[in-house]
Amino acid sequence: MRSTKEKRQYFRVFPLAFATLLVITFAGASAAQDDLVEAAPPPLKFISKEDQARLNTKTDIKDRTKLSVDMLNLRLTAAENLAEGKDFEGMYKQLGYFHALMDDALSFLRVRDTGKNGKVLDNFKRIEIALRGMAPRIEVMRRELPLRYDPFVRKLMGYLRSARAKATDSLFDDSVLPVRKPGP
C-alpha cells in the first residue's frame, strides 16, 4: 500500500499532467484549423462582347466551330501564360471565358443538329478532339495553383469531361443510324 504522503504527491502531479495533456491536444486542433484555406469563388462565365461579335460573324457551321476551337485555344494559352507569371486572378478570369466558350460551342451545334446534317456531326467530332487535347493542359495548370483556386479548376475538368461526352453522344444518337421499322 501507498503511504498517505505518496498519495498526496500523486494527487498533486495528476492534475498538472492532465492539464498539460489538454493544452497539447487543443493546441494541435487549433493549429490544424489555421491551415484551412478559403476557396475562391468561381469566375464569371461569360463571353466578351468582342468574342461574341466575332462568333456572330460566322454563319457556316464549320467556320463557326473552327473559330470556337481557336478562341478556346487562345483563352487557354492566355490562362497558362498568366499562371506561369503567378497572376492567378487573371488566369481564373480566362478559365471563366474558356468555360463560357466551350458551352457556347456545344449549344450552337446542338441547336443545329436536326439529325439530317452530317456537317454537324463532323463538327461535334472536331470539338471533342480539341477538348481532349486541352484537358492535360488544364491539369498541368491545376498542379501549380494555390489551393484557393483548386476547387473550381477541378470542377472545370469535370465540365470538360461532360462536354466531351455530350459531343460524342451526338455521334451515337438514333438520328445517326435511324432504326428502320419493318414495312410491308
Side-chain angles (χ1 to χ4, degrees):
M1 288 199 68
R2 293 185 181 170
S3 67
T4 56
K5 190 175 184 180
E6 287 177 348
K7 287 181 183 177
R8 281 188 203 147
Q9 196 174 21
Y10 174 75
F11 285 117
R12 285 184 192 158
V13 174
F14 179 74
L16 182 62
F18 185 71
T20 305
L21 181 66
L22 285 176
V23 168
I24 290 171
T25 303
F26 289 118
S30 68
Q33 290 177 355
D34 292 342
D35 293 341
L36 296 177
V37 177
E38 186 175 325
L44 297 176
K45 184 178 102 172
F46 71 96
I47 300 173
S48 68
K49 290 180 183 179
E50 297 84 20
D51 288 348
Q52 190 64 53
R54 283 181 61 197
L55 288 170
N56 290 339
T57 60
K58 302 292 184 182
T59 55
D60 183 53
I61 296 172
K62 184 176 181 180
D63 292 340
R64 166 86 182 233
T65 304
K66 284 183 177 182
L67 180 62
S68 293
V69 168
D70 290 342
M71 292 172 80
L72 284 167
N73 272 318
L74 286 173
R75 291 297 183 176
L76 191 56
T77 302
E80 288 171 329
N81 292 337
L82 290 168
E84 285 176 15
K86 306 294 183 202
D87 181 9
F88 299 116
E89 288 297 323
M91 178 223 53
Y92 218 47
K93 277 184 178 180
Q94 293 297 323
L95 290 178
Y97 294 141
F98 175 85
H99 189 185
L101 285 168
M102 180 175 60
D103 287 349
D104 178 71
L106 287 173
S107 65
F108 176 82
L109 290 176
R110 237 179 278 124
V111 167
R112 281 144 185 84
D113 187 15
T114 59
K116 298 176 184 175
N117 193 352
K119 279 185 166 184
V120 175
L121 296 177
D122 292 342
N123 288 295
F124 271 123
K125 187 174 170 183
R126 178 174 281 125
I127 285 186
E128 193 279 328
I129 290 170
L131 291 177
R132 186 184 327 155
M134 293 175 190
R137 294 169 60 189
I138 294 173
E139 183 63 32
V140 167
M141 267 193 304
R142 189 190 68 77
R143 291 180 186 161
E144 301 298 322
L145 288 178
L147 289 177
R148 179 171 194 246
Y149 301 103
D150 191 59
F152 171 73
V153 178
R154 280 184 185 270
K155 286 181 184 176
L156 182 63
M157 292 294 297
Y159 296 141
L160 189 105
R161 280 190 296 276
S162 174
R164 286 184 56 205
K166 288 176 187 175
T168 55
D169 285 348
S170 299
L171 298 172
F172 300 104
D173 195 7
D174 283 343
S175 63
V176 177
L177 294 173
V179 178
R180 295 185 185 197
K181 297 179 182 175

